[in-house]
């Protein structure tokens, strides 16, 4: 079974009387262990597609199966559980809590875990070491550079051991040198058998992926 | 449970992090809680004082004074009660174990050696001290023989004793009352003030016979009498019986109002509660207004905060927080805040009421009840006004929140 299976997925946004069809029947299969880049210009529907894959949004019609579960029939709470256990997010704007330390930020997803976990803090320290920020564990986001903040966000995405790492323009705020360092981290994660999906408009970033999907006006090409 | 603790600890984090919001909410909630706490404490204080005064007055006692309520309200003290009348009451009411007549002269100049002082002279029987449960602590009470013999003996109140004798022992010494030498045989214990604020310890008590004959030149009328019943649970039926008995004796037709007043413990309570009532109403209105203002300050600051923290809500939702988790976190923030506000408010109430007691001699009594009342109210505010912003936070769709 593939990790993600989308069949004839449509997504329509309604804004008053106007309805905009962001996705016009997407068929997509992502296998476990893949490294996929979804490329498109702004307004192409790539972010909408990412939101659907990441269980952040529900589809209008079609079918989405994630990790053997029919996502289209799940409740809001069940979607939260899927995101918590199976998906790690990395965003363009990092989204770290400004009042929490790096370590506390990494631990954020563990707050919402259903079962009790004892060694969460140790695991978080290990992950900070993995992204090279062990000695910055007590720093606040405003004491860290953009690249460092994104590394913290990656550590946070990994803390609950998800199958899927989902990144939306992860290097959009970073200079090209730092961008390469961040992408190398994703490559490393992919080598450790994580499935990685990166959404970007930048071909240089997309080139790190093993498979590139183009999206335009809500339709995909490979 | 584990999850709840983790989420509430997030609330506490946020309360500590957003200091300005915390400060403003805290101040407004604390002020509201403080005024409500003072009200509860003042009400309790008033009731406590009322009970004390009733206990001192005697729950089995009535006081009957000459003149109807209207005349008394106008400051007149018409004499309508006679010694014979008091005697008749004593005959008619068998369960009354004490019926003690009394008369009073105000602002009488008395002197001891070269010290002069104006005080109140009360005339009564040898049962005066028992009738008011007001013990003689030095020397002894005057006796029935003293009353029968119109002797010039008297009891002195603490305050008057200090004025006339300073630190000397007054027992056995003489006081000149309108030129008549009265020997002090006993000193009354300290009594404080009446519910109306009159100093009770400023008086000299002498036999009523001596007062009437030698000072007032009066043979018939007394100011009133005090009566105590064995079965005080029937006190209020006695009030009615006594009223019709005296009306009949005074020959009052039905349309005529009473020409006497019966003071009962209930009336004293009423008087005190009315006295407290005005302040309670004033503080109550202020308190409720400030609490409502506090609530709106809280709600608005929280709505603003939810807007400001959209990204935070987004990332929490993306990493697996359920709607309920967000709701609990924000509600937790507001309840944690108002709880602290409640504590601060209670401390504020404690210190401000000290001031109030200093300037107004107002009875304030703090108890656990006042404290828990304040705490409970702070939770009501926290949940009541925090719910709407918390709901708004919880209802944010993850993708909208992430988009920021």
């Amino acid at each position: 079974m593939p990790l993600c299976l989308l069949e004839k997925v449509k997504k329509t946004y309604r804004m008053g009387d106007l309805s905009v069809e962001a996705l016009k029947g997407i068929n997509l299969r992502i296998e476990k262990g893949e490294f996929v880049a979804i490329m498109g210009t702004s307004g192409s529907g790539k972010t909408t597609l990412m939101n659907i894959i990441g269980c952040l949004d529900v589809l209008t019609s079609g079918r989405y199966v994630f990790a053997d579960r029919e996502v289209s029939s799940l409740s809001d709470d069940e979607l939260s559980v899927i995101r918590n256990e199976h998906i790690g997010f990395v965003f363009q704007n990092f989204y770290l809590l400004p009042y929490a330390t790096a370590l506390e930020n990494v631990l954020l997803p563990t707050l919402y875990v259903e079962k009790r976990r004892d060694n969460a803090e140790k695991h978080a320290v290990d992950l900070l070491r993995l992204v090279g920020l062990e000695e910055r564990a007590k720093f606040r986001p405003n004491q860290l550079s953009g690249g460092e903040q994104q590394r913290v966000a990656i550590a946070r995405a990994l803390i609950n051991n998800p199958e899927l790492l989902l990144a939306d323009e992860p290097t959009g705020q970073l200079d090209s040198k730092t961008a390469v360092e961040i992408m190398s981290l994703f490559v490393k994660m992919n080598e450790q058998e994580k499935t990685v999906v990166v959404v970007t408009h930048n071909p240089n970033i997309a080139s790190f992926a093993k498979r590139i999907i183009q999206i335009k006006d809500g339709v995909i090409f490979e | 449970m584990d999850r709840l603790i983790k989420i509430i600890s997030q609330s506490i984090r946020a309360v500590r992090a957003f200091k300005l919001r915390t400060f403003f909410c805290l101040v407004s909630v604390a002020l509201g809680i403080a005024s409500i706490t003072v009200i509860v404490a003042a009400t309790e204080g008033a009731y406590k004082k009322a009970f004390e005064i009733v206990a001192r007055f005697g729950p089995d006692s009535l006081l009957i004074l000459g003149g109807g309520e209207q005349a008394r309200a106008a400051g007149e003290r018409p004499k309508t009660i006679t010694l014979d009348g008091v005697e008749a009451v004593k005959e008619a009411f068998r369960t009354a174990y004490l019926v003690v007549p009394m008369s009073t002269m105000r602002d009488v100049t008395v002197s001891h050696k070269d010290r002069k002082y104006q005080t109140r002279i009360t005339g009564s029987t040898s049962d005066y001290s028992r009738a008011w449960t007001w013990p003689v602590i030095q020397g002894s009470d005057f006796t029935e023989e003293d009353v029968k013999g119109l002797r010039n003996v008297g009891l002195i109140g603490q305050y008057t004793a200090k004025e006339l004798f300073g630190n000397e022992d007054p027992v056995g010494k003489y006081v000149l009352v309108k030129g008549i030498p009265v020997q002090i045989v006993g000193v009354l214990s300290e009594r404080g003030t009446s519910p109306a604020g009159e100093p009770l310890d400023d008086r000299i008590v002498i036999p009523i016979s001596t007062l009437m004959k030698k000072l007032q030149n009066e043979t018939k009328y007394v100011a009133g009498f005090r009566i105590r019943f064995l079965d005080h649970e029937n006190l209020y039926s006695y009030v009615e019986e006594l009223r019709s008995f005296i009306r009949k004796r005074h020959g009052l037709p039905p349309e005529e109002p009473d020409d006497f007043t019966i003071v009962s413990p209930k009336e004293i309570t009423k008087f005190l509660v009315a006295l407290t009532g005005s302040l309670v109403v004033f503080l109550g209105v202020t308190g409720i207004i400030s609490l409502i203002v506090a609530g709106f300050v809280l709600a608005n600051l929280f709505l603003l905060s939810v807007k400001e923290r959209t990204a935070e809500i987004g990332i929490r939702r993306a990493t697996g927080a359920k709607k309920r988790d967000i709701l609990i976190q924000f509600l937790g923030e507001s309840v944690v805040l108002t709880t602290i506000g409640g504590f601060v408010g209670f401390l504020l109430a404690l210190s401000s009421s000290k001031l109030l007691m200093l300037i107004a001699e107002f009875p304030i009594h703090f108890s656990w009840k006042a404290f828990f009342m304040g705490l409970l109210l702070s939770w009501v505010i926290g949940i009541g006004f925090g719910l709407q912003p918390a709901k708004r936070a919880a209802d944010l769709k993850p993708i909208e929140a992430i988009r920021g």
Side-chain angles (χ1 to χ4, degrees), chain A residues 76 84 95 99 104 112 114, chain B residues 3 13 312 317 319 402:
Chain A
D76 195 71
N84 183 248
Y95 290 133
Y99 54 82
E104 287 168 323
Y112 305 112
E114 297 290 319
Chain B
R3 183 175 177 137
R13 269 324 296 266
E312 172 186 336
R317 290 286 274 132
T319 55
I402 287 289

Side-chain angles (χ1 to χ4, degrees), chain B residues 21 301-311 313 330 389-390 392-394 396:
Chain B
R21 182 190 72 170
L301 288 177
F302 266 77
L303 279 177
L304 215 67
S305 185
V306 167
K307 227 175 212 162
E308 228 178 59
R309 291 160 67 190
T310 307
I313 296 159
F330 276 83
R392 189 169 291 191
L396 272 177

Side-chain angles (χ1 to χ4, degrees), chain B residues 121-125 142 153-155 182 204-208 210-211 215:
Chain B
I121 307 291
T122 301
S124 192
T125 67
F142 55 76
V153 289
L155 305 173
V182 171
I204 291 173
V205 184
I206 62 175
I208 191 161
T210 313
L211 180 88
L215 294 175

